[in-house]
Amino acid sequence: VAYRDQQMAEAEGKRKEILATFHQTLDQQDNLLLYGNLQGDVTVVEFFDYQCGYCKKVFTDVVNVVDEDQNVRLVLKEMPILGPASRMASEAAIAANKQGKYFEMHRALMEHKGRLNDTVIFDLAQQAGLDIAKLKEDMKSDDVNAMIETNLALANTLDVRGTPAFVIGDQLVPGAMDSAELKAKIQKVRNGENS
């Protein structure tokens, strides 16, 4: 038991080191997909998949908390792990950023009820006001693929095993949270209770 506890403590220590480095490099990335106050005093990072029911369930709570707080920066990390349609949805959302409509596409995909496929994804893109021909071209670009691969590698490094998962302060929070839990975790970071 003591050995197992030591192993768990070492793993937790290593994760905190990784998270500290992660936060330092986060601000140096110019390809971040952001929402909220870009200079906010607390950064919430969310890993998600567009076909994840729990991700869709927490979407409204997360957006409402960020909208209400006015001092939170939300960093969205596409983590398409639930099949080819998830990957295509992430590619479309990231490519939508090239038309200045990332969050519109993100919202459309998150609020969609039911499974995703090519037709649904491009219908949602059209409703979000995107130029579909440009979107399809942009989806093939190397930087879109690179962002997804970077996010997947980062999730692996942080030991994120499913979606949604959040990084708030130096804490990795796996699973869905309601708005009260999210607000409490943000307040803990502000109070300096960062673990």
Side-chain angles (χ1 to χ4, degrees):
V1 173
Y3 177 72
R4 192 183 75 213
D5 289 348
Q6 182 185 346
Q7 294 284 91
M8 286 172 71
E10 284 174 14
E12 187 57 30
K14 186 170 182 181
R15 182 180 293 157
K16 287 200 178 195
E17 276 177 41
I18 291 167
L19 286 171
T21 306
F22 166 64
H23 280 295
Q24 288 164 7
T25 58
L26 204 56
D27 291 326
Q28 295 159 8
Q29 293 174 3
D30 56 3
N31 61 356
L32 291 177
L33 301 172
L34 302 166
Y35 183 73
N37 180 347
L38 307 192
Q39 271 71 51
D41 67 345
V42 175
T43 298
V44 174
V45 181
E46 180 184 5
F47 290 87
F48 63 90
D49 183 300
Y50 288 116
Q51 295 205 103
C52 161
Y54 291 106
C55 298
K56 288 176 180 274
K57 191 172 181 224
V58 302
F59 170 74
T60 304
D61 280 345
V62 171
V63 169
N64 287 345
V65 168
V66 174
D67 286 345
E68 283 170 26
D69 190 297
Q70 302 281 304
N71 212 9
V72 173
R73 176 174 78 150
L74 177 64
V75 178
L76 296 157
K77 292 285 185 187
E78 308 266 344
M79 187 178 158
I81 54 174
L82 298 174
S86 293
R87 179 76 180 218
M88 179 174 250
S90 285
E91 289 170 358
I94 294 167
N97 199 41
K98 293 174 188 274
Q99 295 182 47
K101 293 196 174 280
Y102 172 77
F103 197 77
E104 291 84 344
M105 187 65 190
H106 177 71
R107 180 185 295 278
L109 288 161
M110 280 299 187
E111 291 178 345
H112 175 72
K113 306 279 188 259
R115 303 302 289 167
L116 294 171
N117 59 41
D118 302 16
T119 305
V120 170
I121 291 166
F122 292 121
D123 284 351
L124 292 170
Q126 193 149 24
Q127 290 165 29
L130 286 148
D131 174 331
I132 302 302
K134 179 171 175 22
L135 182 72
K136 287 181 177 179
E137 195 56 39
D138 290 339
M139 285 169 69
K140 297 176 196 164
S141 70
D142 290 342
D143 57 331
V144 168
N145 186 55
M147 182 182 277
I148 292 172
E149 291 306 320
T150 300
N151 289 351
L152 292 170
L154 176 63
N156 191 45
T157 301
L158 294 174
D159 201 24
V160 173
R161 295 181 182 180
T163 56
F166 298 87
V167 176
I168 306 168
D170 68 359
Q171 192 176 27
L172 175 66
V173 185
M177 276 188 287
D178 64 22
S179 54
E181 288 173 282
L182 182 55
K183 286 177 185 174
K185 292 196 180 302
I186 289 167
Q187 196 53 51
K188 275 187 163 187
V189 172
R190 283 203 179 111
N191 295 346
E193 305 163 36
N194 208 3
S195 50

